Amino acid sequence: MAECLCTANLKVIRHAGTYLGDDWTYTITVNGEARVIAGNGKDQEFDPPMTWTVRGGECGGNTTVTIAVKALEDDLFFDDEGSQIKHITVSCPPQGSAPTKLTNEAVRARVVESIGWFSGGIAFVDFVFDVEFRCPD
């Protein structure tokens, strides 16, 4: 039986909450394939989206894709960091069927200011994906 293909498209990174600085690094990992992106603490849109295509599971059966995110704000002495993991499980369509599409799947990292004058400040960093599962012909 054919292997299911999953395409995860990162559309936007959004910031909410208390301001924690402007020197950010984001690490996004989809089924073990990691990429690092620099940021400035402001929302970032990706057009075209940043895309991962991974294989896993059999067509017609349950397939899981794992998206792990880490947001790190670089400080002089102690960096502020938050992370989150999301497992998305769907039934991969059989060969010849339309793909299964999920839109606006968000993975949220909670970042807490760890030390210093602004200790206790909280920021949320949302990584928003469209995810598609399909079986190649």
Side-chain angles (χ1 to χ4, degrees), residues 25-26 38 63 66 98 130:
T25 302
Y26 315 107
T63 300
T66 299
D130 285 344

Side-chain angles (χ1 to χ4, degrees), residues 6 29-34 52 54-56 63-68 87:
C6 172
T29 306
V30 178
N31 277 20
E33 183 183 322
W52 288 256
V54 296
R55 296 180 179 274
T63 300
T64 300
V65 64
T66 299
I67 300 173
H87 305 284

Side-chain angles (χ1 to χ4, degrees), residues 46-116:
F46 299 92
D47 187 19
M50 184 173 285
T51 301
W52 288 256
T53 301
V54 296
R55 296 180 179 274
E58 292 184 2
C59 294
N62 282 345
T63 300
T64 300
V65 64
T66 299
I67 300 173
V69 299
K70 180 170 86 171
L72 180 119
E73 198 275 313
D74 186 31
D75 280 335
L76 185 58
F77 298 107
F78 298 97
D79 295 340
D80 307 316
E81 183 178 332
S83 60
Q84 186 63 265
I85 297 174
K86 185 171 191 172
H87 305 284
I88 302 170
T89 302
V90 301
S91 178
C92 187
Q95 283 184 304
S97 296
T100 299
K101 296 180 181 184
L102 306 173
T103 57
N104 298 322
E105 289 288 322
V107 185
R108 174 173 270 196
R110 180 177 183 264
V111 181
V112 178
E113 181 76 18
S114 58
I115 194 166

Side-chain angles (χ1 to χ4, degrees), residues 14-25:
R14 289 193 185 114
H15 285 259
T18 306
Y19 179 75
L20 290 179
D22 60 3
D23 190 9
W24 290 81
T25 302

